Amino acid sequence: MRRKVIAGNWKMNNDLKETQNLLSRLTSGISVNNLNCDVIVCPAFTSLFEAYTLLKDTKIKLGAQNMYFETSGAFTGEISAAMLKSVGCEYVILGHSERRNIFGETDELINNKIKKANASGLKPIFCVGELLEEREAGITEKVIEKQIRSGLKDISSEEMGNMIIAYEPVWAIGTGKTASPEQAEEVHKFIRSLINDKCGASISENIIIQYGGSVNNKNARELLSQKDIDGALIGGASLKADSFIDIIQAT
Ligand code: PEP
């Protein structure tokens, strides 16, 4: 039985004060040391240490939204894995469609980031997903397969045990359009079969595959009840304590 994992991707929202307010509403609204699922919040870099301080006595875990794969040096504007570890991060989102499509991140770059995160003891939340035109052209599986195979190139079975995969159809992110539970389940099942080919049954049966794309307190329960959907990566609905708590409770 895989334990569900609910993660909030705050994106470029919430300054320090807003972080304090949102986390205070979140931690007072749920039983923070007795959660029925794993909960991760991923604030902006500038709020990570404050979030770590506010969450360190709770079971809520901390993640970042991105990192660079080099150890240190002349990479203006970038953040390393060690820096994220030093402010209490346990997870890092990698390969988000906004990184791929707005900032031009390639499968190769994402693969390097995943390798560095693993080597540094950070757990990647590795995002994959097709564009609307790719779904309409009937090539969803082909796109997902390429992203998975390239992103996970040379990642060992042992490292895979540390990872979360998030299936996020790009057409469903921030648009209010959600994949139907059946559409999402079909792709999750396919991703699990790819992991089975790569690493065998034990890893593929245990790996957490989250769904992301306009998850909210109305659609979460049905999505999360699908056999291969093990949690959710949530953007918009994680910015309001009430809706995030409702989703946590839907597990
Ligand atoms: C996301 O950014 O990962 C996401 C799923 O966003 P939203 O929930 O707003 O669609």
Side-chain angles (χ1 to χ4, degrees):
M1 212 22 201
R2 296 178 293 270
R3 190 172 154 88
K4 301 266 192 254
V5 183
I6 302 296
N9 173 13
W10 291 6
K11 310 193 186 190
M12 198 172 73
N13 294 294
N14 292 331
D15 63 15
L16 207 52
K17 189 116 212 92
E18 289 162 336
T19 297
Q20 290 162 345
N21 289 340
L22 179 50
L23 289 181
S24 141
R25 286 198 297 273
L26 185 60
T27 52
S28 56
I30 44 175
S31 176
V32 288
N33 284 315
N34 187 23
L35 299 165
N36 56 354
C37 62
D38 287 348
V39 176
I40 307 166
V41 292
C42 304
F45 291 135
T46 48
S47 289
L48 285 173
F49 187 64
E50 182 67 8
Y52 165 72
T53 308
L54 295 170
L55 296 175
K56 69 177 182 330
D57 296 325
T58 77
K59 293 243 160 81
I60 300 176
K61 297 165 183 186
L62 188 64
Q65 299 171 20
N66 186 27
M67 54 161 254
Y68 197 50
F69 69 87
E70 293 285 1
T71 302
S72 62
F75 303 101
T76 302
E78 293 297 324
I79 299 277
S80 73
M83 290 169 185
L84 296 182
K85 290 277 289 181
S86 77
V87 291
C89 286
E90 195 177 326
Y91 292 86
V92 59
I93 299 173
L94 295 173
H96 191 278
S97 65
E98 287 150 17
R99 299 300 318 171
R100 292 177 189 264
N101 299 322
I102 303 174
F103 300 101
E105 292 200 5
T106 60
D107 288 330
E108 190 189 0
L109 175 63
I110 295 160
N111 176 244
N112 281 328
K113 292 183 178 196
I114 291 174
K115 285 182 189 151
K116 184 64 176 186
N118 280 326
S120 309
L122 280 170
K123 297 174 187 159
I125 301 176
F126 169 42
C127 304
V128 296
E130 81 287 2
L131 301 168
L132 182 59
E133 56 264 37
E134 292 167 336
R135 175 160 284 267
E136 286 174 349
I139 56 168
T140 297
E141 290 196 350
K142 196 166 157 225
V143 171
I144 300 292
E145 180 164 1
K146 178 174 176 292
Q147 291 175 345
I148 293 273
R149 290 202 192 282
S150 316
L152 300 179
K153 188 165 171 274
D154 301 328
I155 305 295
S156 68
S157 294
E158 197 189 338
E159 290 169 321
M160 289 296 299
N162 258 334
M163 296 195 45
I164 292 177
I165 296 177
Y167 168 57
E168 299 206 302
V170 181
W171 48 273
I173 297 182
T175 58
K177 283 189 206 151
T178 324
S180 68
E182 296 73 28
Q183 279 174 322
E185 170 63 16
E186 196 181 5
V187 181
H188 279 237
K189 206 168 164 201
F190 176 65
I191 293 173
R192 207 175 294 287
S193 76
L194 293 174
I195 303 302
N196 184 49
D197 290 350
K198 180 178 163 59
C199 310
S202 154
I203 302 280
S204 73
E205 279 308 311
N206 285 307
I207 194 160
I208 298 296
I209 308 177
Q210 295 177 313
Y211 170 78
S214 297
V215 176
N216 58 38
N217 49 5
K218 298 195 179 62
N219 57 29
R221 196 172 295 271
E222 212 188 335
L223 283 160
L224 291 168
S225 64
Q226 301 300 306
K227 180 172 171 286
D228 289 289
I229 300 185
D230 309 316
L233 179 56
I234 298 152
S238 71
L239 296 174
K240 295 223 160 46
D242 289 355
S243 53
F244 196 54
I245 289 170
D246 281 353
I247 296 168
I248 292 167
Q249 282 165 349
T251 62

